[in-house]
Amino acid sequence: TSRRFPKPRMSRGLEVHPHTGGEDMEIWVDPRYVNAGYGWAFPADQELRVGVGSFDPRDHIRKPTDRLADDVEVDKVRYQGNWIPHKLRPAAEDGVFFVGDSAGHCLPLTAEGIRTALYFGLACGRELRAVLAGVEEIETALGRYGAFSDSHGWQFSWLLSAQWAVSATTRMPLLTEVIKAVGKPAVTRAVFNHYLAIAPPEYVARDALLA
């Protein structure tokens, strides 16, 4: 199910999907495109996705997206964008299970939501399976699933703090130094491994074993 978020808990993202080649993922933290966010370009199968995201829901991002597309010399075609939740919310409330965007399961800073929707969806499915099998009461399932989602709160909070830091330091040399530090191979691997562990891919395999 879904529900409408208050705008202060939302980011905005828009991208174009031209059919063109590319091998590198590029990120622009540049106030020329957006003050509180970043721009990107990365290949996906037979297309290149070029866009801009803002952590401030008041920002309009159509013109910045067009500007970035012009700068990287790609066609402004097949626009895709939306509001993006960036704060974790209760996943079990008023007798309802919430998964994905409706629970704020989209990760702050990166706006990654498909992997986390699958991850929390599996956790929700396990509880529902137990209820349907008659081995667990619905209230117990709601409590267990809600607690599971809440247990990730500190990880979402850290990413949200990093998101606010990017928003606050876009025009400052400090951000450049932080990016240089994180760009060191050993640091990049450590940061990525911690990030991946928020919703580990191995969880899917564990669910398959329990099915």
Side-chain angles (χ1 to χ4, degrees):
T1 186
S2 64
R3 55 189 171 189
R4 186 175 298 277
F5 279 77
K7 287 186 177 181
R9 294 183 175 182
M10 301 288 284
S11 299
R12 304 179 76 171
L14 180 67
E15 61 186 9
V16 294
H17 294 192
H19 290 303
T20 185
E23 296 182 355
D24 298 323
M25 179 175 182
E26 300 179 86
I27 300 291
W28 290 267
V29 184
D30 188 337
R32 181 168 174 266
Y33 302 117
V34 63
N35 287 322
Y38 53 86
W40 63 83
F42 63 87
D45 196 16
Q46 301 300 313
E47 64 185 29
L48 189 68
R49 300 185 176 182
V50 179
V52 169
S54 174
F55 306 134
D56 187 339
R58 297 168 297 183
D59 285 344
H60 295 280
I61 52 177
R62 172 61 183 265
K63 289 183 178 179
T65 298
D66 288 345
R67 188 179 307 124
L68 179 57
D70 288 338
D71 288 348
V72 297
E73 300 180 338
V74 298
D75 293 333
K76 298 188 286 289
V77 294
R78 287 180 292 281
Y79 287 87
Q80 177 177 305
N82 212 332
W83 295 98
I84 304 167
H86 62 222
K87 190 178 178 81
L88 194 66
R89 295 173 61 91
E93 193 173 44
D94 299 328
V96 179
F97 295 84
F98 294 96
V99 177
D101 285 356
S102 63
H105 286 152
C106 185
L107 294 173
L109 186 63
T110 65
E112 183 185 8
I114 295 176
R115 178 168 60 101
T116 48
L118 174 62
Y119 173 74
F120 288 103
L122 288 171
C124 181
R126 289 177 180 176
E127 300 302 333
L128 291 174
R129 186 164 56 204
V131 172
L132 293 174
V135 299
E136 189 170 271
E137 296 295 327
I138 185 68
E139 292 79 8
T140 301
L142 283 163
R144 283 167 53 92
Y145 172 63
F148 176 80
S149 179
D150 290 345
S151 70
H152 295 74
W154 68 274
Q155 296 164 311
F156 279 74
S157 294
W158 271 105
L159 285 174
L160 186 58
S161 296
Q163 174 174 305
W164 295 139
V166 171
S167 301
T169 59
T170 297
R171 297 178 182 275
M172 298 172 60
L174 174 62
L175 185 59
T176 300
E177 296 305 315
V178 170
I179 292 174
K180 287 181 180 178
V182 175
K184 296 178 180 178
V187 178
T188 298
R189 283 194 296 271
V191 170
F192 180 77
N193 287 336
H194 281 293
Y195 173 79
L196 190 65
I198 297 174
E202 296 82 8
Y203 195 79
V204 177
R206 290 201 298 270
D207 189 77
L209 292 174
L210 293 173

